[in-house]
Amino acid sequence: MMKTLRELAEHVSGKVIGDEDLQISGVAGIEEANGGEITFLSNPRYGKKVGETKASALIASQKVDGFNGSVLLTQNPYLAYAKIVGLFHKRVLPSPGIDANAVIGKGAKIGKNCSISPFVFIGEDAEIGERVVIYPFVFIGSGVKIGDDTRIYANCSIREGCTVGNRVIIHAGAVIGSDGFGFAKDGKAYYKIPQVGTVQIDEDVEIGANCTIDRAALGTTWIKRGVKIDNLVHIAHNVVVGEDTVLVAQVGISGSTRIGNNVTLAGQVGIIGHLTIGDNAMVGAKSGVAADVGAGKVVSGIPAYDHRDWLKTSMCLPNISDMRRQLRRLMQEVEALKAKAESESKRTGRP
Amino acid sequence: MMKTLRELAEHVSGKVIGDEDLQISGVAGIEEANGGEITFLSNPRYGKKVGETKASALIASQKVDGFNGSVLLTQNPYLAYAKIVGLFHKRVLPSPGIDANAVIGKGAKIGKNCSISPFVFIGEDAEIGERVVIYPFVFIGSGVKIGDDTRIYANCSIREGCTVGNRVIIHAGAVIGSDGFGFAKDGKAYYKIPQVGTVQIDEDVEIGANCTIDRAALGTTWIKRGVKIDNLVHIAHNVVVGEDTVLVAQVGISGSTRIGNNVTLAGQVGIIGHLTIGDNAMVGAKSGVAADVGAGKVVSGIPAYDHRDWLKTSMCLPNISDMRRQLRRLMQEVEALKAKAESESKRTGRP
Amino acid sequence: MMKTLRELAEHVSGKVIGDEDLQISGVAGIEEANGGEITFLSNPRYGKKVGETKASALIASQKVDGFNGSVLLTQNPYLAYAKIVGLFHKRVLPSPGIDANAVIGKGAKIGKNCSISPFVFIGEDAEIGERVVIYPFVFIGSGVKIGDDTRIYANCSIREGCTVGNRVIIHAGAVIGSDGFGFAKDGKAYYKIPQVGTVQIDEDVEIGANCTIDRAALGTTWIKRGVKIDNLVHIAHNVVVGEDTVLVAQVGISGSTRIGNNVTLAGQVGIIGHLTIGDNAMVGAKSGVAADVGAGKVVSGIPAYDHRDWLKTSMCLPNISDMRRQLRRLMQEVEALKAKAESESKRTGRP
């Protein structure tokens, strides 16, 4: 498939500097692109590589020194790149239809133009919207509701009573609605707290492979509109995650914590239970949050504190043992000075 | 379903202060409860919210100021709450029966009143106890033994030769009996150590969603009675986990480590191999344990050390660069004092 | 099955000190072995246990004081042990054949002597090599290529277009080819970057249970020959992992990072995106790597720095609050000394 640079620019409401009729055969990374392809520059790390790319055209927010091809100007090159990739690559989805090898429970409703693969289990009274795609080995519990245009990859489990909104993508192996982790001490042993709540996933959420989102003890574990969750993330019972929040891989959020809107939790962050993380807050990778985080704050560390302080501390950490040695020498020197001053005092009789 | 407060109190061996005939329609959290419902107070964080709850009754260990409804008195409110939730919410399990869409291997034995869902695979010579519930897409390897009243959620794999006790709950996506991670260097490449042991899960264990418990290289990886494991926990080959121990989400335990009884490993803790963690020890969230931990000890940090020292260190961490600046200034000042003292010594001829 | 010690020695090109005709019934750990069994000594931690073992023979690299049985001498006892375990324990694999309960897509090719279990889904135009073993509930997407002698355990997903080499082992629940985590900001919300690349797994790779390896945004996420990956590891889009590299459990690698050959990332390590980790580098457990790591370097910490410095810092960490107290006292003492010197200066008129 070929597109002219003009067509691409129109698709993203951008502007061409150079040859509008240039035929573009595809999109590729700045290092991988060949002649005839378009690439993009959004991460400044790659700026110096522009001179070496073989791409014939470049998506950028301004003219770039060292690049001789045509440029597709746009305010948000990364967004434009995303849209142009979508032009060249249409994902092929399974054809609509309910495979004879799927098991559909009594009372379950399936909307128009769904693709229900072989080896799918849909429980009683579940409701599946329109154009939903469900891959093999997906378990949908009884009473689950799935919105329109949602896609559920292979080997996912969505347990009884949970709801999933429109245009949600759930990657392979994710588990939604597993029991929350709650036990009451009964002597030395533990007594299981029944986990009788559910999980509610709102529209436009994406959930990574092998994530686990536990059902509430009572009430609802709630993932709001537009939340993007990377792989192997754990979300405990009764957590609320606000709109457009991003949870990077291997994050863990303990029970009843509330995460605001537009928050970013970087990779491997852990947050203890019953906390509130304000809107637009950011938590640095591998941090452990042990106290509420105010709106707009940036924190890092275990336990987490102000990110700028953390950066300063980080620069000192390799030298702590030097500091201790210096401190010890200083203590000796000060002792010597004190002794000298004292003997001088004794000699002179002046304090 | 309605229950009187008297009935609830009898169910948990508690005592009513107030209206014994009060009709209770359900259980809810202190903030979510409506009139007619009962709530509970066990986490002191929520103490001040008692005045605002709409609940008609409260489970508590003593009379609570600010709450005007009836009180169900009990020594362990959290345990009483758990039992009362169980009264109101009976989990609906699949009906007994072996679905025609399940594959049952030659020589496998299945006890009375089991529920074997469609798309279950049970290997040759496996033995399944009574009243076991197995959800779709569960793989049971050959020779596996499963005890009575055990429940295995969708998409779990239990590989050949492993044993699972009575009343065990295994949440969706968990893998039991995968090969341990063992390789011998053979020049530059690695030679796989055959992992020919098994996993033994004792009674009353709960295993979270997408956990992985590796089979022993030789012998047994052993999870003892009453252990509770949260989601996405990794347990390596030949680990032993003692009775009533709690492993919070995303914990990782390396090979051959022995964890005692009643231990708590908080979220995202990692423990290196070949260690011993004593009974009743606790490890703080995100800690990395690199040495044995004695019975009853509480440790935190990477590497982990005494938890109280860790708390003190944590309070200092944001100020390390200030400490370094102060130290440098002090070094200069002491140098100046030394120089002065030395010149004084020279002048006076006194040491 | 019995083997003479001579046979075992020949199998590993070793030498017997003692009774070559000794009949050996099996292999066991140094603490678990019984009479008639052979054990091994490679981890020096267990050296002192040699005197107490009941094993009749010992694999070791030199004669060991305190052990009275026969010794199988070899330069690499751990490798010899691995090979001898393989002699005694042959893993029983499913018999060859394509089960009638498997779904094989149009145009898919399956080589000779494969074992395709019930409840396997193989997509259109997929190509499966010879002697491949695929367990139940495995999803193979359209166009996937799988090499010879590869084994895929239950509940794995390998999405469209990915390739897997010869002699690869993929443990249960692993997901290969899930979408990379890429979004462009579009106002407040996120726009999904289509992830149109693939994953390439080369020969002799082992992938742990419930791992996730994302497909590239464009191009290829590439796991090279001989890489060994433990459980619950996350590898993001466009990552390259070099030959014979070891990734221990719960490691996470962010997008576009390149890991060299023979690297070791210990458990729970995280690496941010777009970095280069040189050949033979090692990263200590739980570390967070935020900058390139040179070939052969050993680093630890969050963020990671030289491992020896990290060890020194680790020893100081429990005493930081002591250091701060000492520093404060020192500041007071120096102030007192300065004041005294100043008053002395005033008195004498000398600076």
Side-chain angles (χ1 to χ4, degrees):
Chain A
M1 184 173 56
M2 301 293 267
K3 300 269 176 192
T4 63
L5 195 50
R6 184 187 301 107
E7 288 174 294
L8 300 187
E10 281 165 3
H11 185 63
V12 302
S13 308
K15 201 178 126 186
V16 173
I17 301 187
D19 179 6
E20 295 209 315
D21 294 315
L22 188 64
Q23 293 283 326
I24 301 293
S25 61
V27 199
I30 204 156
E31 294 180 286
E32 296 80 16
N34 289 312
E37 293 183 318
I38 191 167
T39 189
F40 70 103
L41 183 64
S42 69
N43 186 335
R45 280 184 113 95
Y46 290 102
K48 52 178 187 263
K49 291 182 171 162
V50 148
E52 299 156 29
T53 185
K54 295 185 195 139
S56 301
L58 177 72
I59 309 166
S61 58
Q62 50 182 51
K63 202 138 179 15
V64 180
D65 287 342
F67 181 70
N68 299 317
S70 297
V71 175
L72 195 171
L73 277 190
T74 167
Q75 279 192 309
N76 190 339
Y78 199 46
L79 179 60
Y81 149 72
K83 291 180 173 175
I84 287 171
V85 170
L87 261 190
F88 282 102
H89 299 266
K90 295 271 180 247
R91 183 153 282 175
V92 180
L93 295 176
S95 312
I98 301 178
D99 193 278
N101 268 316
V103 166
I104 314 290
K106 207 169 50 179
K109 289 175 193 154
I110 297 178
K112 289 178 190 157
N113 294 313
C114 286
S115 165
I116 310 294
S117 297
F119 310 131
V120 164
F121 179 97
I122 296 181
E124 298 185 4
D125 300 315
E127 296 179 23
I128 313 291
E130 304 190 350
R131 297 172 302 281
V132 171
V133 177
I134 304 184
Y135 282 83
F137 318 122
V138 168
F139 171 82
I140 306 276
S142 56
V144 166
K145 291 190 176 62
I146 310 275
D148 297 339
D149 299 298
T150 281
R151 193 184 306 167
I152 305 174
Y153 283 98
N155 294 103
C156 288
S157 297
I158 303 180
R159 274 189 39 197
E160 68 276 10
C162 295
T163 65
V164 176
N166 298 332
R167 295 178 305 279
V168 170
I169 299 174
I170 304 178
H171 287 288
V175 175
I176 293 169
S178 37
D179 285 0
F181 193 65
F183 302 90
K185 267 272 182 193
D186 184 9
K188 277 180 65 179
Y190 288 96
Y191 185 93
K192 180 176 174 67
I193 315 279
Q195 303 289 308
V196 303
T198 61
V199 178
Q200 175 183 334
I201 313 272
D202 290 348
E203 63 207 26
D204 297 311
V205 167
E206 185 158 344
I207 297 171
N210 284 345
C211 284
T212 63
I213 304 180
D214 280 353
R215 65 195 313 114
L218 298 167
T220 307
T221 303
W222 186 11
I223 313 295
K224 296 190 183 176
R225 183 197 55 70
V227 170
K228 306 300 181 190
I229 305 177
D230 203 348
N231 297 340
L232 290 169
V233 167
H234 164 68
I235 298 179
H237 49 186
N238 294 83
V239 165
V240 177
V241 182
E243 298 185 356
D244 298 315
T245 276
V246 169
L247 310 179
V248 180
Q250 297 174 316
V251 158
I253 305 176
S254 300
S256 300
T257 281
R258 285 152 188 268
I259 313 279
N261 299 335
N262 277 96
V263 169
T264 300
L265 305 186
Q268 300 183 334
V269 161
I271 305 199
I272 68 163
H274 299 277
L275 296 185
T276 299
I277 311 298
D279 294 345
N280 304 301
M282 298 183 71
V283 180
K286 288 195 97 74
S287 299
V289 180
D292 289 349
V293 175
K297 296 284 186 226
V298 182
V299 299
S300 287
I302 306 173
Y305 50 94
D306 180 80
H307 181 70
R308 284 158 306 186
D309 288 337
W310 178 83
L311 283 175
K312 285 185 212 161
T313 293
S314 297
M315 295 207 303
C316 299
L317 278 180
N319 306 314
I320 298 272
S321 74
D322 287 346
M323 283 172 64
R324 187 163 70 165
R325 204 175 46 245
Q326 290 161 350
L327 184 60
R328 283 175 174 172
R329 202 179 49 223
L330 220 46
M331 286 164 72
Q332 290 170 347
E333 290 175 355
V334 168
E335 281 310 306
L337 286 166
K338 280 164 63 185
K340 190 163 191 174
E342 202 165 328
S343 86
E344 193 70 9
S345 288
K346 273 192 189 143
R347 199 187 53 82
T348 60
R350 286 192 300 272
Chain B
M1 186 173 58
M2 301 293 269
K3 300 269 177 192
T4 63
L5 195 50
R6 184 187 302 106
E7 287 174 295
L8 301 186
E10 282 165 4
H11 186 63
V12 302
S13 308
K15 202 179 128 186
V16 173
I17 301 188
D19 179 5
E20 294 208 317
D21 294 315
L22 187 66
Q23 292 283 327
I24 301 292
S25 62
V27 197
I30 204 158
E31 295 179 287
E32 297 81 15
N34 288 312
E37 293 183 318
I38 190 167
T39 190
F40 69 104
L41 182 66
S42 68
N43 187 335
R45 281 183 111 96
Y46 291 103
K48 51 181 191 262
K49 292 183 172 161
V50 148
E52 298 156 30
T53 186
K54 295 183 195 138
S56 301
L58 176 72
I59 309 166
S61 57
Q62 49 183 52
K63 208 144 175 11
V64 180
D65 287 342
F67 181 71
N68 298 319
S70 297
V71 175
L72 195 172
L73 276 189
T74 167
Q75 279 192 310
N76 190 339
Y78 200 47
L79 179 61
Y81 148 72
K83 292 181 172 173
I84 288 171
V85 170
L87 261 191
F88 282 102
H89 300 266
K90 294 270 180 249
R91 182 153 282 174
V92 180
L93 294 175
S95 312
I98 301 178
D99 194 277
N101 268 315
V103 166
I104 314 291
K106 207 169 50 178
K109 290 176 193 154
I110 296 178
K112 288 179 191 158
N113 293 313
C114 286
S115 165
I116 309 294
S117 298
F119 310 131
V120 164
F121 179 96
I122 296 181
E124 299 186 2
D125 300 316
E127 296 180 23
I128 313 291
E130 304 190 352
R131 297 171 303 280
V132 172
V133 177
I134 305 184
Y135 282 82
F137 318 123
V138 167
F139 171 82
I140 307 276
S142 56
V144 166
K145 289 189 177 63
I146 310 275
D148 296 340
D149 298 298
T150 281
R151 193 184 305 168
I152 306 174
Y153 283 97
N155 293 105
C156 288
S157 298
I158 303 180
R159 273 186 43 194
E160 69 276 11
C162 295
T163 64
V164 176
N166 298 332
R167 295 178 305 280
V168 171
I169 299 174
I170 304 178
H171 288 287
V175 175
I176 293 170
S178 38
D179 285 0
F181 193 65
F183 302 91
K185 267 273 183 193
D186 185 9
K188 278 180 64 178
Y190 288 97
Y191 185 94
K192 180 175 173 68
I193 315 278
Q195 303 289 310
V196 303
T198 62
V199 177
Q200 175 183 335
I201 313 273
D202 289 349
E203 60 206 29
D204 296 311
V205 167
E206 184 158 345
I207 297 171
N210 285 344
C211 285
T212 63
I213 303 180
D214 280 353
R215 66 195 310 114
L218 297 168
T220 308
T221 303
W222 186 11
I223 313 296
K224 295 189 183 176
R225 183 196 55 69
V227 170
K228 307 300 182 188
I229 306 178
D230 202 348
N231 298 340
L232 291 168
V233 167
H234 165 68
I235 298 179
H237 50 186
N238 295 83
V239 165
V240 177
V241 182
E243 297 185 358
D244 297 315
T245 276
V246 169
L247 310 179
V248 180
Q250 297 174 318
V251 158
I253 305 176
S254 300
S256 300
T257 281
R258 284 154 189 266
I259 313 279
N261 299 335
N262 276 96
V263 170
T264 300
L265 306 186
Q268 300 183 334
V269 160
I271 305 200
I272 67 163
H274 300 277
L275 296 186
T276 298
I277 311 298
D279 294 347
N280 303 301
M282 298 184 71
V283 181
K286 290 193 94 73
S287 298
V289 179
D292 289 348
V293 175
K297 296 283 186 228
V298 183
V299 298
S300 286
I302 307 174
Y305 50 94
D306 180 79
H307 181 70
R308 284 157 306 184
D309 288 338
W310 179 83
L311 283 175
K312 287 185 211 163
T313 293
S314 298
M315 296 208 300
C316 300
L317 278 180
N319 307 313
I320 298 272
S321 75
D322 287 347
M323 282 173 65
R324 187 164 68 166
R325 203 175 47 245
Q326 290 161 349
L327 185 60
R328 284 176 175 171
R329 200 177 54 222
L330 219 47
M331 285 164 74
Q332 291 170 347
E333 291 175 356
V334 168
E335 281 309 306
L337 287 166
K338 278 164 64 185
K340 191 163 189 173
E342 200 165 330
S343 84
E344 195 71 6
S345 287
K346 271 192 190 146
R347 199 184 54 81
T348 62
R350 284 191 302 273
Chain C
M1 186 175 56
M2 300 293 266
K3 301 268 177 195
T4 63
L5 193 51
R6 184 187 302 108
E7 287 174 294
L8 301 186
E10 281 164 5
H11 185 62
V12 301
S13 308
K15 201 178 127 187
V16 174
I17 301 188
D19 180 5
E20 295 209 316
D21 294 315
L22 188 65
Q23 292 283 327
I24 301 293
S25 61
V27 198
I30 204 155
E31 294 180 287
E32 296 81 15
N34 288 312
E37 292 183 318
I38 191 167
T39 189
F40 70 104
L41 182 66
S42 67
N43 187 334
R45 280 183 112 98
Y46 291 102
K48 52 180 188 260
K49 292 181 172 164
V50 148
E52 299 156 29
T53 186
K54 295 184 193 137
S56 301
L58 176 71
I59 309 167
S61 58
Q62 50 184 51
K63 200 131 183 22
V64 180
D65 288 342
F67 181 72
N68 299 317
S70 297
V71 175
L72 195 172
L73 277 188
T74 166
Q75 278 192 310
N76 190 339
Y78 200 46
L79 179 60
Y81 149 71
K83 291 180 174 175
I84 288 172
V85 171
L87 261 191
F88 282 102
H89 300 266
K90 294 271 178 246
R91 184 154 281 175
V92 180
L93 294 175
S95 312
I98 300 178
D99 192 278
N101 269 316
V103 167
I104 314 291
K106 208 169 51 180
K109 289 175 192 153
I110 297 179
K112 288 179 191 157
N113 293 313
C114 286
S115 165
I116 310 293
S117 296
F119 311 130
V120 164
F121 180 96
I122 296 181
E124 298 184 2
D125 300 316
E127 297 180 21
I128 313 292
E130 305 190 350
R131 296 171 304 280
V132 172
V133 177
I134 305 184
Y135 282 83
F137 318 122
V138 168
F139 171 82
I140 306 275
S142 57
V144 166
K145 289 189 176 62
I146 310 275
D148 297 339
D149 298 297
T150 281
R151 192 184 307 167
I152 306 173
Y153 283 97
N155 293 104
C156 288
S157 299
I158 303 179
R159 273 188 41 197
E160 69 276 11
C162 295
T163 64
V164 176
N166 298 332
R167 295 177 306 278
V168 170
I169 299 174
I170 305 178
H171 288 287
V175 175
I176 293 170
S178 38
D179 285 0
F181 193 63
F183 302 91
K185 267 273 182 193
D186 185 9
K188 278 179 65 178
Y190 288 96
Y191 185 94
K192 180 175 172 68
I193 314 279
Q195 303 290 309
V196 303
T198 61
V199 177
Q200 176 183 333
I201 313 272
D202 290 348
E203 61 206 30
D204 296 310
V205 167
E206 184 157 345
I207 296 172
N210 284 344
C211 285
T212 64
I213 303 180
D214 280 354
R215 64 195 315 115
L218 299 167
T220 307
T221 303
W222 187 10
I223 313 297
K224 295 189 184 178
R225 184 196 55 71
V227 170
K228 307 300 180 188
I229 305 178
D230 203 348
N231 296 340
L232 291 168
V233 167
H234 164 69
I235 298 180
H237 49 185
N238 295 83
V239 165
V240 177
V241 182
E243 298 185 356
D244 297 315
T245 276
V246 169
L247 309 179
V248 180
Q250 297 175 316
V251 157
I253 305 176
S254 300
S256 300
T257 281
R258 285 154 189 268
I259 313 278
N261 298 335
N262 276 97
V263 170
T264 300
L265 306 185
Q268 300 184 334
V269 160
I271 305 201
I272 69 163
H274 300 276
L275 296 186
T276 298
I277 311 298
D279 294 346
N280 303 302
M282 297 184 71
V283 181
K286 290 193 94 74
S287 299
V289 179
D292 289 349
V293 175
K297 296 282 187 229
V298 182
V299 299
S300 286
I302 307 173
Y305 51 93
D306 180 80
H307 181 71
R308 282 158 306 184
D309 289 338
W310 178 83
L311 283 175
K312 286 185 211 161
T313 293
S314 298
M315 295 207 302
C316 300
L317 279 179
N319 307 313
I320 298 272
S321 75
D322 287 346
M323 283 173 64
R324 187 164 69 168
R325 202 174 50 244
Q326 290 161 349
L327 185 60
R328 284 176 176 171
R329 201 178 54 221
L330 220 45
M331 286 163 73
Q332 290 169 347
E333 291 175 354
V334 168
E335 281 310 307
L337 286 166
K338 280 163 63 186
K340 189 162 190 176
E342 200 164 331
S343 86
E344 194 69 8
S345 288
K346 271 194 190 141
R347 197 185 56 80
T348 61
R350 284 191 301 274

